[in-house]
């Protein structure tokens, strides 16, 4: 029975979901590109996308290219406007433009280059004003002008179709070309012939702006000001979804979306999206999602999102995502705080008051309306019994018949809580504690303030026992028990860190799966009643690791939505039990949500409302799966850097005429060593959430590992060594899906001195050097051997010389010793000679004194006999003094000491007298004149005379000192 009841509830809720999904509660996420962003002209006439995700737009200034990171513009012919574009399977971009048509194809460096096809037309067909359309049909390319239709084939041939009446427009549907001619209506092209359709004349004088395919061969035809038609079996009828507004809106373009809906762009009413049955799903206009009301072209990209080309700018509409934006463009001003779906009215509370919208209204342009008397901050919306209660800064309010009524003058109403054991009473938490309300006669009335507790009570829940659990943002948890009269708090117990909580900060309480859980600064806790303390809640432990959960909400299918400062996600209930953690889909909301009082509201089983900085974001769970489209990371440019910048590669590889994302070997550049600094730019053409796209890269042969994920789209390498390098780059989108890896290989050539030829030369030089070295070594060895022999001989000679020197030194030493002995002998003899000389001098002096005394006595004596005897004695004395015995003895010793002086002097001067020889000897002894006089037994005057005579015989100059001459002789 429970399963049946649950199934019935599911059916009811689902039916409500299906109904509500057909109506617009908000706007899809929209991104507008102004001309100063894409750097092109204001008008954008056609949009398409290549197989790698790059967006191309026909613009007044040429062809715009958008790779998700930057815009690039390629010109066709100078000054001509591009009107339409188409891309074939090989990636060649065909362009219809003002006064020309042709194609863009990569040049040698990969940069798109334009080639005109119109220039090959015969001269008489070359002069036309506009080429408005281009279509690709297998091997054919069809260009349409206001005069002719040109069909170009790959062999270079151009067939020319000349309609009877000028084409107003052409369309290509299911490989069939349709021609709109005002004179005959709608025709088709068969075998180069234009044939009116059976119903074509019904569209005579009507300007057709779009032809789309329906089932079978049926067509969906939009006109500029005459509505929309469909065909069935060659009959044409107005489409039931054609709105009257289309006649004044002027339809400019239309496209069938992949989900079957129709997107219609108008001249002055913006964009319409209709269901296959013609129900209006979405209308975007200037001031309501769009910056420009004129839509010239439409394109649904690979991610099911819609691009709009405006008369001024470009808009990207995220139709493929499960989010819609409720903000001031739909009449909701201010930051969002709380939402509540009550029957068919959606109530939204912001800092500017309470607003509502009936979700069942057919008027899709109807904006959210303000409920009077709710100006200011709205904190909460609760449905208690039949009362819609509003927590407001001014105080508690109730809403009845879309009118606000104050039920309390006490300001600062946070939230409301029905009391389980007292069903007629409602507890209010406000700035300074708790208030009590009672339902009486179908009305809620204020009773009194609850005494005994004065803390601000914004977050609170009631447990099964009736106790109130209130959490304070920076104090902790309070457990309150009211008395029986409900007029005061019976008991208050505080729980903090000492009770098992990690901190007293950032604690919130929620009722999930009919039990209370408490979020903290790191994990989720529950209350252990038995031990009266808080413990980790094992149910949530597998899903949350140290996250600060700030909001939790559970829908009817037990899916749990959560918010934290860093993450947004849900625990999706599995049919088999347990939960699956999903976060990636919500990544793009991260910087958009209100960070004041974070809040998530469950509106219905499939709709979840997030309070945002600007209004609200509505999540549609029916579209919860991320579009699983693969995407590509592209190498966009490669430049050589240094003293100047040289473009090496620009965006496209080509192989066998086909554009590819893989670098052919023929496009691997070889760089001179002086160009070994390189800059690479890259991008992933994943437009959805492109601000969150991140990249990692690795230069093989240079980097050790992959880099960390980064938002950088450029990488530069400098001073690379020679070698082969491959740059790898990979992207991950905002949903965590990774792209395939893009590669770019290049070769840095070695400098000339490290080339193969150089190394060959080095080898030759080395071999020659080795040979020379061996030769020189051998020669050196021989020389060294010879030198060694010489050295040995020299050493032997040296030894001999040393021996000889030692012998000589020994002999010299012996001679020196002998000389010393001789010198000592000479000195001794000199001493003896000096002693002998002094003795002789003394003797002669003594004798002379005696002689003098005797002579004096003889002269004084008067005795002749005495005188006679005395004369004899004097005579003997004279004989004794004059004898040469003493001289002979003196001369012998003197010559021994003075090197045979007397003999040498005699030989040199043979005419010297004995007296002069003695004088010379005495002068050699350096005796004084007086001493010499005594030795010679002459007077001092006689000595002077002898010296004079000696100088003459020696023939001395007057300037020569006689004694010095004698000493040196």
């Amino acid at each position: 029975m429970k399963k049946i009841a649950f199934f019935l509830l599911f059916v009811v809720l689902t039916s409500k979901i299906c109904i509500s999904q057909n109506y617009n509660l908000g706007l899809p996420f929209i991104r507008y590109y102004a001309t100063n962003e894409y750097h092109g002209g204001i008008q954008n006439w056609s949009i398409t996308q290549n197989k790698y995700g790059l967006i191309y737009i026909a613009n007044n200034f040429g062809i715009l290219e958008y790779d998700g990171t930057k815009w690039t513009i390629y010109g066709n012919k100078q000054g001509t406007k591009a009107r339409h574009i188409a891309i074939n399977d090989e990636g060649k971009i065909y362009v219809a433009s003002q006064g020309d048509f042709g194609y863009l194809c990569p040049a040698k460096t990969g940069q798109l280059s334009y080639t005109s096809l119109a220039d090959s037309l015969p001269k008489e067909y070359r002069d036309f004003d506009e080429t408005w359309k281009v279509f690709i049909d297998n091997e054919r390319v069809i260009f349409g002008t206001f005069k002719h239709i040109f069909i170009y084939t790959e062999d270079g041939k151009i067939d020319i179709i000349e309609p009877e009446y000028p084409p107003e427009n052409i369309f290509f549907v299911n490989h069939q070309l349709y021609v709109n001619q005002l004179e005959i209506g709608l025709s088709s092209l068969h075998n180069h012939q234009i044939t009116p359709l059976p119903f074509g004349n019904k569209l005579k004088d009507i300007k057709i702006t779009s032809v789309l395919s329906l089932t079978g061969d049926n067509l969906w035809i939009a006109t500029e000001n005459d509505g929309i038609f469909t065909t069935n079996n060659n009959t044409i009828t107005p489409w039931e979804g054609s709105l009257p507004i289309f006649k004044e809106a002027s339809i400019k373009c239309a496209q069938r979306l992949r989900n079957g809906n129709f997107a219609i762009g108008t001249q002055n009413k913006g964009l319409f999206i209709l269901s296959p049955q013609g129900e209006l799903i979405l209308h975007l206009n200037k001031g309501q999602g769009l910056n420009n009301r004129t839509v010239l072209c439409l394109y649904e990209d690979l991610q099911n999102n819609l691009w709009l080309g405006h008369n001024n700018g470009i808009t990207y509409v995220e139709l493929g995502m499960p989010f819609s934006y409720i903000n001031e463009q739909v009449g909701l001003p201010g930051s969002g705080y709380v939402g509540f779906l009550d029957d068919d009215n959606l109530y939204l509370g912001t800092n500017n008051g309470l607003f509502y919208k009936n979700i069942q209204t057919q008027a899709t342009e109807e904006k959210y309306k303000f409920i009077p008397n709710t100006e200011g901050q709205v904190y909460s919306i609760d449905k208690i019994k039949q009362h819609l209660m509003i927590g407001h800064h001014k105080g508690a309010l109730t809403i009845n018949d879309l009118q606000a009524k104050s039920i309390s003058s006490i300001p600062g109403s946070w939230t409301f809580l029905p009391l389980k054991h007292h069903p007629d009473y409602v507890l209010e938490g406000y700035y300074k504690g708790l208030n009590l309300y009672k339902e009486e006669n179908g009305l809620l009335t204020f009773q009194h303030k609850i005494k005994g507790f004065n803390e601000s009570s914004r977050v609170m829940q009631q447990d099964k026992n009736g106790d109130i659990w209130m959490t304070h943002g920076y104090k902790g948890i309070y457990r309150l028990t009211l008395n029986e009269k409900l007029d005061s708090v019976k008991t208050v117990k505080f729980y903090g860190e000492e009770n098992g909580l990690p901190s007293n900060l950032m604690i919130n309480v929620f009722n999930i799966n009919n039990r209370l859980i408490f979020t903290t600064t790191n994990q989720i806790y529950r209350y252990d009643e038995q031990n009266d303390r808080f413990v980790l809640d094992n149910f949530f432990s597998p899903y949350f690791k140290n996250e600060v959960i700030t909001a939790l909400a559970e829908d009817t299918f037990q899916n749990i939505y959560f918010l934290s400062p860093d993450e947004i996600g849900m625990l999706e209930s599995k049919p088999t039990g347990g939960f699956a953690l999903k976060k990636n889909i919500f990544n793009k909301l991260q910087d958009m949500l209100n960070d004041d009082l974070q809040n998530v509201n469950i509106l219905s089983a499939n709709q979840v409302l997030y309070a945002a900085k600007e209004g609200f974001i509505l999540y549609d769970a029916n579209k919860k799966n991320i579009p699983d489209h693969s995407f590509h990371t592209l190498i966009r440019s490669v430049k050589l850097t240094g003293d100047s910048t040289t473009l090496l590669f620009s965006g496209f590889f080509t192989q066998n005429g086909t554009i590819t994302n893989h670098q052919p070997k023929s496009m691997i550049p070889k760089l001179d060593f002086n160009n070994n600094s390189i800059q690479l730019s890259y991008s992933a053409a994943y437009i959805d959430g492109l601000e969150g796209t991140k990249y990692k890269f690795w230069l093989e042969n240079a980097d050790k590992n992959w880099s960390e994920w980064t938002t950088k789209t450029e990488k530069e390498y400098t001073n690379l060594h020679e070698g082969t390098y491959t740059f790898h780059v990979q992207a991950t989108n905002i949903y965590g899906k990774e792209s395939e890896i893009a590669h770019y290989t290049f070769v840095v050539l070695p400098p000339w001195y490290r080339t193969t030829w150089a190394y060959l030369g080095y080898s030759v030089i080395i071999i020659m050097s080795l040979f020379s070295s061996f030769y020189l070594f051998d020669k050196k060895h021989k020389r060294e051997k010879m030198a060694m022999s010489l050295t040995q001989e020299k050493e032997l000679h040296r030894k001999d010389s040393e021996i000889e020197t030692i012998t000589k030194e020994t002999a010299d030493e012996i001679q020196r010793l002998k000389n010393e002995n001789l010198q000592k002998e000479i000195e001794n003899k000199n001493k003896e000679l000096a002693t002998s000389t002094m003795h002789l001098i003394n003797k002669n002096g003594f004798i002379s004194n005696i002689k003098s005394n005797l002579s004096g006595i003889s002269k004084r004596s008067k005795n002749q006999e005495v005188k006679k005897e005395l004369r004899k004695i004097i005579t003997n004395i004279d004989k004794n003094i004059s004898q040469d015995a003493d001289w002979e003895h003196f001369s012998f010793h003197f010559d021994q000491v003075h090197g045979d002086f007397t003999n040498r002097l005699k030989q040199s001067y043979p005419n010297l007298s004995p007296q002069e020889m003695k004088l010379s000897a005495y002068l050699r002894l350096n005796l004084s004149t007086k001493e010499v006089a005594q030795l010679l037994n002459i007077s001092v005057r006689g000595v002077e005379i002898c010296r004079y005579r000696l100088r003459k015989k020696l023939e001395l100059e007057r300037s020569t000192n006689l004694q010095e001459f004698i000493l040196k002789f």
Side-chain angles (χ1 to χ4, degrees), residues 635 680-682 696-700 703 715 717 725-729 741-746:
I635 304 294
L680 303 102
S681 65
Y682 41 86
K696 65 177 181 180
F697 47 82
W698 167 48
L699 183 62
E700 188 176 346
D703 296 332
K715 178 60 180 174
Y717 293 92
Y725 296 89
T726 299
F727 181 74
H728 308 265
V729 61
I741 299 173
H743 312 273
Y744 185 82
T745 300
F746 60 94

Side-chain angles (χ1 to χ4, degrees), residues 570-603:
M570 67 176 293
L571 299 179
E572 185 177 36
S573 178
K574 296 180 180 179
T576 57
F579 291 84
L581 178 61
K582 292 193 174 182
K583 298 185 291 186
N584 291 342
I585 187 68
F586 302 98
N587 285 349
K588 69 186 310 172
L589 306 184
Q590 190 61 51
D591 296 326
M592 303 173 68
L593 300 190
N594 187 340
D595 55 11
D596 176 22
L597 302 175
Q598 286 196 324
N599 195 13
V600 55
N601 299 109
I602 307 297
L603 298 185

